Amino acid sequence: MTQSPSPRPAFASWLSTGNSITQQFMAIGGRPDVVSLAGGLPASEIYPVEAIAAAQERALTRWGTQILEYGAIEGLPALRAAIAERFSAATGRRFGPENVLLTTGAMQGLDLVGKTLVDPGELILSQFPTYLGALDAWRPRMPRYERLDWSLEAPGQDAALRQAKFVYAVPNYSNPTGVLVPQDQRAALLDKVEAAGTWLLEDDPYLPLQFDGPAGPSLLAHHAQRHPNGAYAGPVIYLGTLSKSLAPGLRVGWVVAEASLIATLALAKQSTDIASSLLTQAIALEMIESNFEAQHIPKIVATYRERRDALCAAATTHLSDWFEWEVPPGGMFVWMRAKDEAIDTDALYTHALAENVAFVPSSVFDPSGALKSAMRVNFTRSPPEVLVEGVLRLERAVRRLLAERPGRAA
Ligand SMILES: Cc1ncc(COP(=O)(O)O)c(C=O)c1O
């Protein structure tokens, strides 16, 4: 019998499970008997199916076979220009197409930044808990991690900033915590990043999902306002996407950064997928130019706000003896922290599945796996009555967990 070659050691432990944690949660989300509060998925019933079909027809009429080719690595020039224009308008300084790389979702931006900037053993300074997809994207690069403290007061932050290849931040309605980072902390981080001479990767997929007022300027906008003249040059590498405002299946995302870094990322992209789909980029362009995206966002926001409120109200009644949380001002998730040290959310997860409800335990959002006392609960995918049922099932799961602990009353 011939033996298969083994993958590189960095991949081996990861791939040996056969499927990733993300795939496991996606699979649970597909089971009709389970209320899944686990995924990070938009509400599919508000995907704009007809508008996408009409945009595709217009795009094919406009571009013909051009958008069925491989196309430029950097993406459809007209969409690059439209995204550059969006950032010029939002930041008050000029960005050009040379500052934009179109990617297959923001996820590809994470992958390309890891490939381009990080060698094994190098440091990434990241907020924790953090996005599981970023940890997955960078695992093959074998980085070290340290925790970014947004107050910048934790011991060793200055040294970590100097050593880090980049700082990873999700300031708007972070995944998994839903936190909106205050503007003064953004400005202070940028001061430190500029002084340390490192990169600052700003991942901003949740920007459109602002429920309780504006999110305020991005880190990129802060930097642009400080340096308003000339070609854009600076430490901020900004990732955006249409996954939350239109549909994740379009797989249209972008990196905005200084032109020389965009050129390097484009080289890395070429060896990854040659080019992203020009067809979906052309659809996206139609939807941006016709202002459809801007008009569609308020509908999504109204739907998600109602769902957030339904989930939080039910949780206040049924879970607040054991968990605490802040109501997120945007995004897709409530981050529930256990008040009782007997609640280990990895253990709770088994009981939750027995009750046909799923959430994401906190351990997956930390590379050490040590964070066991919280859970990420999604409120965007299901209507209010299903969310309430999910919370009732979670309550039963907590009671089961506590009942198996000797001396603890449920
Ligand atoms: C923080 C964060 N970054 C990036 C992504 C990936 O987004 P995209 O669908 O554009 O690849 C997600 C997806 O939910 C996310 O939560």
Side-chain angles (χ1 to χ4, degrees):
M1 205 174 87
T2 49
Q3 248 196 337
S4 318
S6 59
R8 279 178 52 201
F11 280 114
S13 60
W14 178 37
L15 293 181
S16 64
T17 58
N19 58 3
S20 73
I21 294 168
T22 307
Q23 283 172 319
Q24 290 169 37
F25 287 119
M26 293 278 197
I28 288 163
R31 276 175 48 187
D33 53 327
V34 172
V35 173
S36 180
L37 310 173
L41 299 176
S44 58
E45 65 276 23
I46 44 179
Y47 289 153
V49 177
E50 284 167 19
I52 290 175
Q56 169 162 303
E57 204 171 318
R58 292 199 305 276
L60 284 166
T61 307
R62 175 171 169 185
W63 301 96
T65 55
Q66 274 185 62
I67 52 170
L68 302 175
E69 304 282 5
Y70 284 116
I73 319 164
E74 296 86 354
L76 190 69
L79 183 59
R80 290 177 81 197
I83 298 297
E85 183 45 44
R86 174 180 287 198
F87 281 83
S88 302
T91 62
R93 68 108 63 225
R94 184 191 168 274
F95 286 88
E98 69 282 4
N99 298 117
V100 179
L101 174 69
L102 297 175
T103 52
T104 304
M107 186 67 198
Q108 187 175 50
L110 293 168
D111 180 55
L112 296 178
V113 168
K115 272 186 176 155
T116 306
L117 296 185
V118 182
D119 282 327
E122 289 187 323
L123 181 67
I124 297 173
L125 184 63
S126 170
Q127 57 186 59
F128 283 111
T130 197
Y131 175 47
L132 172 61
L135 297 176
D136 281 348
W138 299 328
R139 190 166 286 125
R141 308 304 307 159
M142 296 189 278
R144 286 183 297 125
Y145 288 100
E146 281 196 36
R147 183 172 165 273
L148 168 69
D149 170 21
W150 275 101
S151 78
L152 299 169
E153 281 166 7
Q157 290 283 291
D158 284 343
L161 271 153
R162 280 195 303 276
Q163 283 170 26
K165 278 318 275 282
F166 63 84
V167 179
Y168 176 54
V170 188
N172 288 330
Y173 322 116
S174 174
N175 179 359
T177 63
V179 165
L180 177 66
V181 175
Q183 291 300 327
D184 58 339
Q185 292 189 351
R186 299 181 193 210
L189 177 63
L190 197 53
D191 289 343
K192 295 271 186 186
V193 162
E194 289 201 274
T198 186
W199 295 101
L200 175 53
L201 178 59
E202 176 174 30
D203 186 8
D204 201 12
Y206 300 103
L207 175 71
L209 307 182
Q210 309 180 23
F211 308 151
D212 299 336
S218 62
L219 292 162
L220 181 65
H222 276 274
H223 186 262
Q225 280 152 16
R226 291 178 187 191
H227 307 277
N229 301 316
Y232 179 74
V236 182
I237 310 167
Y238 179 100
L239 305 183
T241 178
L242 294 179
S243 288
K244 314 303 177 195
S245 59
L246 289 176
L250 290 172
R251 308 308 296 131
V252 174
W254 50 84
V255 185
V256 179
E258 63 179 38
S260 60
L261 183 72
I262 292 293
T264 309
L265 293 171
L267 280 181
K269 179 172 163 60
Q270 189 172 34
S271 61
T272 302
D273 65 357
I274 305 179
S276 298
S277 161
L278 283 186
L279 177 61
T280 61
Q281 290 174 17
I283 293 171
L285 179 66
E286 293 296 324
M287 300 185 89
I288 290 171
E289 282 181 351
S290 65
N291 214 27
F292 179 88
E293 190 205 8
Q295 288 163 5
H296 186 58
I297 289 171
K299 187 172 165 186
I300 301 175
V301 165
T303 305
Y304 290 178
R305 190 194 290 116
E306 185 193 13
R307 292 179 180 193
R308 173 202 64 179
D309 292 345
L311 180 100
C312 288
T316 300
T317 309
H318 297 283
L319 296 174
S320 56
D321 283 352
W322 308 294
F323 287 92
E324 59 191 358
W325 59 89
E326 283 81 46
V327 176
M332 291 189 156
F333 309 108
V334 182
W335 182 243
M336 297 195 179
R337 301 176 303 274
K339 293 178 181 174
D340 181 335
E341 81 284 357
I343 296 177
D344 166 323
T345 50
D346 282 347
L348 178 62
Y349 187 69
T350 308
H351 293 288
L353 280 190
E355 289 290 345
N356 286 330
V357 61
F359 61 85
V360 184
S362 48
S363 56
V364 309
F365 300 111
D366 185 308
S368 74
L371 182 62
K372 305 276 192 189
S373 59
M375 58 181 173
R376 189 191 78 177
V377 179
N378 168 266
F379 54 81
T380 58
R381 186 70 170 173
S382 309
E385 61 282 6
V386 176
L387 295 172
V388 172
E389 174 59 28
V391 168
L392 288 171
R393 292 182 191 187
L394 272 180
E395 179 188 1
R396 291 202 293 272
V398 176
R399 290 188 189 282
R400 272 172 177 258
L401 173 74
L402 293 179
E404 80 180 7
R405 305 279 150 106
R408 287 202 173 257

